[in-house]
Amino acid sequence: DTAVSQTPKYLVTQMGNDKSIKCEQNLGHDTMYWYKQDSKKFLKIMFSYNNKELIINETVPNRFSPKSPDKAHLNLHINSLELGDSAVYFCASSQMGGRTSSGANVLTFGAGSRLTVL
Amino acid sequence: GESVGLHLPTLSVQEGDNSIINCAYSNSASDYFIWYKQESGKGPQFIIDIRSNMDKRQGQRVTVLLNKTVKHLSLQIAATQPGDSAVYFCAERREGGNKLVFGAGTILRVKS
């Protein structure tokens, strides 16, 4: 069983379109994330939800809207796609711990969704 | 602004040799660090972690060293194997924070 699964794995679309990427985790974690990895492999956090509540919202264009229907799912919707949105988007999950617990931020990542905007 | 790690360097090692991958971080308030491995076409995978109250932690074939004085983290891989070829990322967590900040990554290439 895949722990963190995201679909689709590949997405090719035209500029101006709206698209969604879905993510599901079966680890029982309470926190989920979206990261963007650019062509230079740099991984940057976009959003994080803890028990369906948005806790991290980085400087991301408001064309990007995450939605968490329950703590096992975190979807990413992107409106009016632009060329610069081309990247690999990774979903991840973790079990949020207290300040003194180690391993609290060990993220389990999905395999990624490669978005290509033409 | 804060930054973790280096521009994407490449380390080439011979199979069987030891590898050392380095990472510099800038936030002295970071209390927890993780190394991740990302193979081609896959998501990053956890390798080993270390808290800021430690300076060394060992796993199976891997050792992480933390030098808080110079804000430096390293990952040592013993007897490097072809399957170790990947991009390696260090990541830091600011004290009490919920966010992991990733470094730029290092490419490890293992020659047989």
Side-chain angles (χ1 to χ4, degrees):
Chain A
D1 277 351
T2 304
V4 180
S5 59
Q6 44 184 117
T7 55
K9 189 169 175 61
Y10 299 98
L11 185 54
V12 181
T13 189
Q14 298 286 335
M15 255 189 335
N17 284 350
D18 304 339
K19 290 293 176 187
S20 293
I21 307 172
K22 296 185 176 182
C23 180
E24 175 182 5
Q25 55 96 3
N26 63 5
L27 298 166
H29 287 165
D30 60 4
T31 306
M32 295 185 72
Y33 310 79
W34 278 109
Y35 277 80
K36 178 180 180 181
Q37 187 171 49
D38 62 22
S39 58
K40 296 179 181 175
K41 299 288 189 183
F42 190 71
L43 268 166
K44 184 160 170 45
I45 190 166
M46 301 172 70
F47 303 103
S48 177
Y49 272 75
N50 175 256
N51 283 321
K52 302 194 297 176
E53 181 184 342
L54 183 64
I55 57 172
I56 294 174
N57 187 353
E58 292 294 286
T59 309
V60 177
N62 58 14
R63 298 182 294 105
F64 290 77
S65 53
K67 281 192 170 53
S68 182
D70 56 62
K71 70 176 190 177
H73 295 84
L74 180 62
N75 303 324
L76 182 65
H77 188 76
I78 315 170
N79 288 329
S80 302
L81 279 156
E82 300 177 357
L83 293 176
D85 297 332
S86 295
V88 182
Y89 292 85
F90 285 99
C91 177
S93 71
S94 71
Q95 184 63 31
M96 193 61 63
R99 290 180 65 174
T100 58
S101 67
S102 76
N105 283 102
V106 175
L107 273 60
T108 301
F109 282 85
S113 297
R114 181 176 291 278
L115 172 65
T116 302
V117 183
L118 303 175
Chain B
E2 60 184 79
S3 65
V4 177
L6 309 171
H7 296 293
L8 202 66
T10 300
L11 175 65
S12 293
V13 298
Q14 200 65 38
E15 182 179 359
D17 287 352
N18 296 335
S19 302
I20 300 176
I21 300 170
N22 297 304
C23 175
Y25 64 95
S26 61
N27 195 321
S28 56
S30 294
D31 67 339
Y32 178 63
F33 303 86
I34 307 180
W35 279 100
Y36 280 88
K37 172 187 179 184
Q38 185 179 18
E39 295 174 276
S40 180
K42 298 184 179 178
Q45 289 178 286
F46 170 84
I47 303 174
I48 193 167
D49 58 357
I50 188 167
R51 294 189 58 81
S52 59
N53 60 358
M54 304 170 68
D55 52 23
K56 181 179 180 178
R57 189 153 189 240
Q58 285 184 292
Q60 189 176 14
R61 279 202 310 120
V62 293
T63 300
V64 55
L65 298 177
L66 175 63
N67 185 331
K68 293 183 290 294
T69 303
V70 294
K71 295 201 277 290
H72 184 269
L73 195 67
S74 68
L75 177 71
Q76 299 178 356
I77 304 173
T80 313
Q81 302 168 0
D84 295 327
S85 293
V87 179
Y88 288 80
F89 295 94
C90 63
E92 64 174 319
R93 181 184 76 181
R94 194 182 306 183
E95 185 177 18
N98 299 316
K99 182 170 74 174
L100 272 185
V101 175
F102 281 78
T106 296
I107 298 171
L108 175 65
R109 290 204 176 105
V110 183
K111 299 175 284 189
S112 299

